[in-house]
Amino acid sequence: MSTLKIAIQKSGRLNEDSIQILKDAGISIDNGIDQLKAEASNFPLEVLYLRNSDIPQYLIDGVVDIAIVGDNLLVEKGGDIEVIQKLGFSKCKVSVAVPKTFNYKSVQDLDGMRIATSYPKTVLDFFSSKGVTVDIHQISGSVEIAPNIGLADAIVDIVSSGSTLFKNNLKEVEVIFKSEAVLAVSPKVSPESQKIIDTLKFRIESVLRARKSKYILMNIPNDKIDAVGKILPVLRSLTVLPLAQEGWSSVHSVIDKDTFWDVIDQLKEAGAEGILVCPIEKMVL
């Protein structure tokens, strides 16, 4: 059986979240300090720890079969690399920012100006689509300092909390697109490797479903079960178990994490009592 090669960022938050989702998918990885390569002990997988900016090219060349990488890098360098799963972490925006003193009204205000960025293709595509011509200054790292030292009039960079912009007296004025970590596949992947990818994707999907859901148990009067079933449509059907007290049942189901409190309020109004909510480790459908 062949071994699937996956690339992940070698350090930082994206590295930690990538390792965690693989572990949650039941894959044990011996990732010692400063290792550049590690094998899983219980799954045909080899992890390559790479510089984030290099990962798209490794996918294009077929050096790795799949990768966990920021969507922003694929837009910049990935060409036609296929994304098979959005992973829901390392969320950020690729945004235009200008000095706080800049009287910004529209993207047309940047026509003819200097833009510092690590994403030249993204910048060129965005401003060209707006009919705006800019002078791109490509730099790596510390993009936010460029306006303060006179290198550029504005920047395009990734923005998470916005605290770095604030510290450098910048303000976000345009969001080019929103990004997150994704599972991407090389265009040169073999049919045998594709079978392993399908298995891995299935496991990751189960983990992601669990992260978005909660297991809920409650006591319901029997004449209210149908009403509760309409509030909890996540699974095919409710699990209903009779209680010792006549006319009551224990109802079990799954609740969407994003709408948790709104649904809880509806359940209470429908007559639910003794509501218990538990985390879900895996959710296989």
Side-chain angles (χ1 to χ4, degrees), residues 155-200:
I155 69 167
V156 171
D157 201 15
I158 58 172
V159 176
S160 296
S161 65
S163 61
T164 304
L165 294 182
F166 180 81
K167 291 175 183 177
N168 286 277
N169 294 311
L170 300 175
K171 60 183 179 182
E172 182 183 49
V173 293
E174 298 283 346
V175 176
I176 297 179
F177 65 89
K178 295 181 180 180
S179 175
E180 64 182 278
V182 298
L183 189 64
V185 180
S186 168
K188 297 184 179 181
V189 69
S190 69
E192 188 174 0
S193 294
Q194 185 60 54
K195 292 180 181 180
I196 307 174
I197 291 171
D198 292 342
T199 300
L200 177 62

Side-chain angles (χ1 to χ4, degrees), residues 27 29 43 65 117 132 150 158-159 166-167 205 207 221 251 256:
I27 299 172
I29 302 167
F43 192 84
D65 301 301
T117 187
V132 174
I158 58 172
V159 176
F166 180 81
K167 291 175 183 177
E205 286 174 342
V207 171
V251 173
D256 189 282

Side-chain angles (χ1 to χ4, degrees), residues 60 89 250 285:
I60 292 170
F89 55 82
S250 175
L285 298 181

